[in-house]
Amino acid sequence: MNGDSSNESFKIGQRVHSLNDPRRVGTVKYVGAVEGYSGIWIGVDWDQDGDGKHDGSVNGVFYFNGRSQSSASFVRPQKLSHGITLLEALELRYRTISTKDEEDEMYVLSTKNKRVSIQLLGGDKIQDKLSRFEELTSASLSYLGVSSLGVSSDLSSILPNLKLLDLTGNLISDWEEIGALCEQLPALTTLNLSCNSLSSDVTSLPQLKNIRVLVLNNTGLSWTQVEHLRRLLPGLEEVHLMGNMISAITSTSSSDDEAFKALRLLNLDDNCISEWSEVLKLSQLPCLEQLYLNKNKLSRIFHSANSYESSNESSDAFPSLRCLLLGANNIGDPASVDALNAFPKLVDIRLSDNPIADLARGGVPRFVLLARLTKVEVLNGSEVRAREKKESEIRYVRMVMSNKSEDIDRLHPRFYELKKFHGIEDERASSENTGPKNIASGLISITLKCVGPSMGEKPPLTKKLPGSITVGKLKILCDNFFKLKPIKTRLFLQEEGSPFPTAFDDETATLVDVGICYGSTVLVDEES
């Protein structure tokens, strides 16, 4: 992996890696003299902040623009590699016999923290099979410094059965070479080019009908480039575009275009999309079943571009979408949750790490989300069983009834439907009822469990309490019930199907406000 170290071999824009560390990858931004130092230097802007020492300026002299204050450095040519070919990487990965030193590095730690060497059972047989390239069906060449795909007419005979090729973190940038490689590998269906800095010129790519899965995470791709790929990859079923700073779906193909017609999974996690109207530009993809939008900047959801409150509209938008992941966005309004009901086949939804699912940020408990979502089968990665769904809907109806909201039709669109479906009668006492009965009708039965480490083993208690009492009052009652006076307590709601209990930090909120209702379990813990 030495590469030619003469300064002629390095050009502006070229991808390189540190000679002794193929994971330290960057782009050449300057070739020439540096004031105060002899000889030729290569100015590199490294992909990872902190891999460099400055921003492209030294001693007040500007040489190039680094991405950050610590991404750039000057390196002697002999300390850099401009990479190796694909076949050289295959030789290195699958035909190099491990040295004694490398084998000594293969160990696990025992329970007493001592090294126990690993011996690979049948390792020689595995190595022999991998070294016969014609038998390889998948190859992982990540972070090996591959800069040239070395495309040649005999590549198809060398790798005739290769279906999956992982080229993550190499020095590849030329789409023309990528296209030629795919044409040379007849069996190739899955290609991972993540963490390569790809050229903006996608037009040189030929049409590739065999590629089914394309992974382009952290490649700097814009949606304009994705548009070109749409037309050149008609068989594409899965595309991953994480971490590409995409904020807009700039255009979509005409209705008669076959582009992305077979696409089943689109991963746009960790981008910069803030407007749901951008997402709606993807709504006519006929086969799209999974759409990942975690870690974007979305604040609301609606089903139609014409109306925000459109959850009851019939539409052909997203006709096949079954899974929609929206974790770690800025969604905070219940109307956005209701809008998800308009997607005809949507059953797997992620809303965790959004304000709507966080009680500390004015959100609602899991049972409210389950009640508002009509078809949900998996919420936040947790399966929704029929019993949990039913109990959540009943709890939700009783919560709405106890709040006596004036605008139920607008604020709780499923309330009357659920109330009728579960046969829940109005619990308002009639005027002739006596005072004590009125008080009793407002009681809810809850189970209290001590879980604090210094509380000792105490049996759970089931108590009937008014839904109108506050969290602060319940804390005082728990101190009395369990004799916890010196211990500062903290209360949590334990919900079926939710992996973590929900903390109650607003002591002025009532039990009904925080989602406690008949049959709830409240955990009594101590402040950390």
Side-chain angles (χ1 to χ4, degrees):
M1 230 185 273
N2 293 327
D4 183 358
S5 61
S6 68
N7 62 295
E8 287 83 14
S9 66
F10 294 102
K11 297 174 183 160
I12 306 297
Q14 182 179 358
R15 297 285 285 166
V16 293
H17 69 76
S18 178
L19 188 64
N20 300 318
D21 184 2
R23 286 181 174 268
R24 190 178 179 217
V25 178
T27 303
V28 174
K29 292 294 184 78
Y30 175 83
V31 178
V34 175
E35 195 173 303
Y37 299 88
S38 62
I40 294 297
W41 293 84
I42 312 298
V44 181
D45 196 21
W46 302 105
D47 289 359
Q48 295 293 324
D49 290 348
D51 275 359
K53 297 179 178 179
H54 50 76
D55 63 356
S57 298
V58 177
N59 297 330
V61 180
F62 171 82
Y63 294 93
F64 65 92
N65 268 321
R67 290 179 305 102
S68 76
Q69 296 296 313
S70 59
S71 67
S73 60
F74 286 100
V75 187
R76 289 295 191 187
Q78 59 268 28
K79 297 289 186 182
L80 289 175
S81 170
H82 56 35
I84 59 176
T85 68
L86 178 75
L87 286 177
E88 286 173 329
L90 281 164
E91 291 279 349
L92 195 68
R93 174 70 179 81
Y94 294 109
R95 284 188 179 157
T96 304
I97 305 300
S98 57
T99 65
K100 181 71 172 68
D101 289 343
E102 286 171 330
E103 286 176 3
D104 288 345
E105 287 300 312
M106 296 175 67
Y107 64 87
V108 291
L109 293 175
S110 69
T111 50
K112 294 182 180 177
N113 220 36
K114 290 186 177 178
R115 291 188 178 195
V116 179
S117 294
I118 297 170
Q119 287 187 326
L120 294 174
L121 285 173
D124 53 344
K125 291 180 181 176
I126 295 168
Q127 190 64 42
D128 179 56
K129 184 175 181 182
L130 291 177
S131 69
R132 295 198 296 274
F133 291 166
E134 69 274 8
E135 294 188 22
L136 277 181
T137 56
S138 65
S140 175
L141 304 176
S142 56
Y143 294 100
L144 283 178
V146 178
S147 59
S148 166
L149 299 178
V151 176
S152 63
S153 56
D154 58 350
L155 204 59
S156 57
S157 58
I158 296 170
L159 296 163
N161 296 303
L162 194 68
K163 295 178 181 176
L164 185 152
L165 179 58
D166 183 356
L167 290 167
T168 298
N170 283 288
L171 310 178
I172 299 156
S173 60
D174 190 340
W175 279 106
E176 193 170 350
E177 252 199 313
I178 294 165
L181 175 76
C182 294
E183 288 187 308
Q184 284 293 315
L185 299 177
L188 191 67
T189 59
T190 300
L191 180 60
N192 189 344
L193 294 166
S194 296
C195 302
N196 287 277
S197 183
L198 299 176
S199 156
S200 59
D201 180 20
V202 187
T203 54
S204 55
L205 194 69
Q207 191 168 75
L208 304 171
K209 294 186 178 179
N210 292 336
I211 301 296
R212 297 283 177 269
V213 178
L214 188 59
V215 187
L216 297 166
N217 299 332
N218 302 298
T219 53
L221 231 67
S222 68
W223 192 265
T224 305
Q225 292 163 278
V226 175
E227 280 297 311
H228 288 300
L229 290 173
R230 281 165 63 103
R231 301 177 182 94
L232 299 168
L233 298 159
L236 205 59
E237 296 176 4
E238 194 172 308
V239 62
H240 296 260
L241 298 163
M242 294 173 61
N244 285 316
M245 303 291 286
I246 293 170
S247 59
I249 311 299
T250 46
S251 68
T252 50
S253 303
S254 58
S255 57
D256 61 345
D257 195 341
E258 288 303 305
F260 276 8
K261 284 290 190 278
L263 194 69
R264 297 181 183 278
L265 186 154
L266 176 58
N267 183 349
L268 286 165
D269 282 354
D270 196 19
N271 278 289
C272 304
I273 301 168
S274 60
E275 297 296 330
W276 188 253
S277 54
E278 296 298 324
V279 180
L280 284 176
K281 294 176 184 176
L282 304 165
S283 66
Q284 298 308 309
L285 296 177
C287 295
L288 188 64
E289 294 176 0
Q290 299 179 67
L291 179 57
Y292 301 170
L293 290 163
N294 299 303
K295 295 185 180 179
N296 275 275
K297 298 178 179 179
L298 295 161
S299 57
R300 62 174 196 160
I301 305 162
F302 45 94
H303 190 247
S304 162
N306 300 323
S307 170
Y308 178 49
E309 294 175 13
S310 55
S311 58
N312 294 321
E313 288 183 15
S314 61
S315 172
D316 295 330
F318 295 107
S320 303
L321 194 67
R322 291 179 54 80
C323 172
L324 178 59
L325 305 186
L326 293 159
N329 277 277
N330 301 319
I331 298 159
D333 61 322
S336 287
V337 179
D338 301 333
L340 295 173
N341 292 328
F343 298 86
K345 293 186 178 177
L346 186 59
V347 292
D348 184 350
I349 299 165
R350 182 177 294 279
L351 290 166
S352 49
D353 299 316
N354 278 282
I356 190 65
D358 184 353
L359 288 174
R361 291 189 284 169
V364 297
R366 176 181 168 91
F367 82 88
V368 172
L369 295 174
L370 291 181
R372 297 188 87 116
L373 294 165
T374 53
K375 300 178 287 289
V376 65
E377 295 174 8
V378 178
L379 179 63
N380 298 335
S382 174
E383 182 185 354
V384 179
R385 300 186 183 277
R387 178 182 170 187
E388 187 194 4
K389 187 83 166 86
K390 178 181 177 182
E391 289 178 351
S392 295
E393 289 174 351
I394 292 170
R395 286 174 70 184
Y396 172 71
V397 170
R398 288 187 167 145
M399 180 191 78
V400 175
M401 289 168 68
S402 65
N403 281 344
K404 299 180 178 63
S405 170
E406 292 180 1
D407 195 357
I408 287 177
D409 286 323
R410 184 175 67 84
L411 298 176
H412 303 279
R414 294 199 72 209
F415 170 76
Y416 292 110
E417 168 201 341
L418 292 175
K419 183 170 177 283
K420 182 179 179 182
F421 179 77
H422 292 293
I424 300 170
E425 298 296 327
D426 284 324
E427 294 174 0
R428 294 192 185 93
S430 57
S431 56
E432 62 268 16
N433 283 347
T434 60
K437 282 186 182 176
N438 276 332
I439 295 169
S441 70
L443 299 179
I444 51 179
S445 177
I446 62 174
T447 299
L448 303 167
K449 283 185 184 177
C450 281
V451 296
S454 62
M455 292 176 178
E457 288 193 27
K458 298 180 186 292
L461 292 178
T462 300
K463 294 286 184 181
K464 287 188 175 180
L465 300 169
S468 58
I469 71 165
T470 63
V471 170
K473 176 68 174 173
L474 180 58
K475 273 190 180 183
I476 296 168
L477 291 174
C478 289
D479 292 344
N480 294 332
F481 293 152
F482 296 110
K483 298 181 171 55
L484 303 173
K485 282 295 182 193
I487 300 171
K488 194 171 182 183
T489 55
R490 193 178 183 198
L491 305 183
F492 296 82
L493 175 63
Q494 186 175 47
E495 293 189 88
E496 182 184 344
S498 188
F500 302 108
T502 304
F504 300 136
D505 293 323
D506 182 0
E507 296 201 0
T508 63
T510 67
L511 301 194
V512 171
D513 289 338
V514 296
I516 296 175
C517 60
Y518 195 88
S520 290
T521 298
V522 174
L523 305 181
V524 185
D525 202 351
E526 53 196 77
E527 288 278 10
S528 55

